[in-house]
Amino acid sequence: MMSCVNRANPTVAEYAVDRIAALGIRHVFGLPGDYSFPINDAIEDHPELKWILSSNELNAAYSADGYARVQGAAILTSTFGVGELSALNGLMGCMAERLPVFHLVGAPSSRIMRARRVMHHSLGDGRYDHFIPIMAAASCAHAVLDPVNALTELERVISTALLERRPAYLLIPEDYARMPVLGTTPEPYSLKSWQPPPSDPRELGAVLRIIRQRLAAARKPLILPSFVLARYGLEDLVSRFLDATGIPFATGVMDKSVLGESHPCYMGSYRGEFSAPDVKAYAEDADLILDFGGLLFDDISTGFSSTHLGREKFISIQPMQVVLGEIGMEIQSYTRSFSPVWIGDVLEGLLSTAEASPPHTIRPSPLPAPNSGNTDGKVTFPSLRTVIQSFLREGDLLVAETGTSSLQLSSILLPKNARYLNQSLWGSIGWATSATLGICLAAPDRRVILVTGDGSHQTTATEIGVMGNYGVKPIILIANNRLFGIEEFLEGNASKEYNKIAPWNYADLPGAMGCTGWLTRVVSTNSELREALDLARSTGSAAYIEVDLGEPLLEPLPPKLLSKEYQTEPPTS
Ligand SMILES: Cc1ncc(C[n+]2csc(CCOP(=O)(O)OP(=O)(O)O)c2C)c(N)n1
Ligand SMILES: [Mg+2]
């Protein structure tokens, strides 16, 4: 007998919702639609799921992205055509940044599609297969579910999404969604009990021998942990390896805070020309570099391609393979690789020998206090960063939007257990506001602080009303420079009309969107900013603080870094 959390003979929609929720997901982001009614009802009737009605599907996808960053996975739902396509950009961000978001979409009934009837949300040509390849491009696995294939297809799609930590697309025609599933229910597993494919013992043994030898011979080893570790929940294992070996680690922008920044082995951030001099000197002189997780040497993480790390020093321990002598995900025909080898097995293997040998003698010197801006008088971007630096507490979650906010905040030093969340690679503006909703719901006991530029915020600000509706309590700082500031900066401070944005009265928005009990403020001095932040912390209320930056003062980028030729150079020596 088939069973699901709430019924004995579940329909396809009920079973799909229940099976994915069993991974450990408690919220669903999205919008309903008539083709999706069976899915919408299955979510509403599920005893362990809460519907979060987003203001549009793009915002829903961003919220699901934020939720998955903390919870490990998320569910998004939308309707055929109009809804799913609106979510596309957000889902592509999840592809790029490796977040398993399960997208459940309702399609017209199979009989309607077979009869090629012309229905709303279609192109009027009687065809219903236009959108599947588009949505499949934003997922690592997809399926069109029916009563016969639902059980097996769901298992295939879930296992691929969890192995790759990327989104999955599930389309359910409305009539099939209402029919009972057929077959024998497989044993469900959760995110916590998920098992990777087994490592090949010979490949694993061989690569462990090589890494141990290289470690024993290294005089100046360095660990560069990747954000990918957090996707698979491997941070603790790596921290134990650091404790046992004392090997220093540095992080790129994309990987900031993947391991605690209060760890004694943390050297700081390595990003080429933009690194602190001692971190740059150590990293570029290191004789062994262990890439834990698979680094992405994108333009931002490499300080506009200004890193100089020798390829031959690299050992890249990726989720299912180890690559020697190559950087990050780039794989050339001449590189040596070992697979299938699960990263967790490699880390466990290294940890067992590390615990038995004396720790490395090289410990990084204590991190100096980060550069501080002048915090008297008017708020500027550097002073905003400094005020936030001293405001942050253990366990806080700091969300930074693409733009000057992330440029500034990526050099903050985080307290214990605090995390920095930013969509560094995909960089779609507006992400941070909607992602904050998902992050708050996934981490109800932590203080979530969002710093967003005004231009980015304007693209997704309707999600403030959704936050009020569900009672989440972030602290939101709108850096109001009346400008797409980062764009001007990258254009050498040219004053372009297209970078000047509409002047909103930000502090009026939460009230207009029905948020009650929110602290709202407009601040222009650092002391006003500190007072507003402290009040928000002490009262525990949601806060929405417009930080009036006046006329923006931006330091132009050095001309060398602005040059496109420079940026196209490979990131290594
Ligand atoms: C969806 C999307 N559209 C356009 C861009 C290009 N873009 C990058 S940053 C930016 C401006 C951000 O302005 P704002 O949020 O005000 O940041 P600040 O002024 O603090 O730099 C734009 C338009 C983008 N990254 N994503
Ligand atoms: Mg701005």
Side-chain angles (χ1 to χ4, degrees), residues 171-204:
L171 187 69
I172 319 183
E174 195 187 346
D175 52 346
Y176 292 155
R178 296 184 196 281
M179 294 177 192
V181 283
L182 301 170
T184 311
T185 325
E187 192 57 42
Y189 54 86
S190 67
L191 270 173
K192 285 207 177 78
S193 60
W194 173 79
Q195 292 288 329
S199 300
D200 179 301
R202 274 177 312 181
E203 295 276 302
L204 177 64

Side-chain angles (χ1 to χ4, degrees), residues 18-27 48-49 67 71-75 189-192:
D18 188 53
R19 175 67 191 95
I20 300 168
L23 293 174
I25 302 168
R26 294 291 163 261
H27 299 83
E48 287 168 2
L49 282 177
Y67 189 86
Q71 191 82 4
I75 308 177
Y189 54 86
S190 67
L191 270 173
K192 285 207 177 78

Side-chain angles (χ1 to χ4, degrees), residues 381 404 453-456 479-486 499 501 549:
F381 263 114
T404 316
D454 49 352
S456 305
N480 183 10
N481 56 3
R482 300 162 183 83
L483 199 65
F484 284 159
I486 191 78
N499 284 330
I501 60 176
L549 292 165

Side-chain angles (χ1 to χ4, degrees), residues 447-495:
R447 216 52 171 117
V448 181
I449 298 133
L450 161 67
V451 183
T452 172
D454 49 352
S456 305
H457 187 59
Q458 286 197 6
T459 66
T460 52
T462 47
E463 230 48 24
I464 297 301
V466 183
M467 293 179 190
N469 195 22
Y470 294 102
V472 300
K473 295 187 171 127
I475 296 176
I476 298 177
L477 298 171
I478 314 295
N480 183 10
N481 56 3
R482 300 162 183 83
L483 199 65
F484 284 159
I486 191 78
E487 302 283 14
E488 294 254 304
F489 174 69
L490 292 171
E491 288 177 306
N493 288 3
S495 178

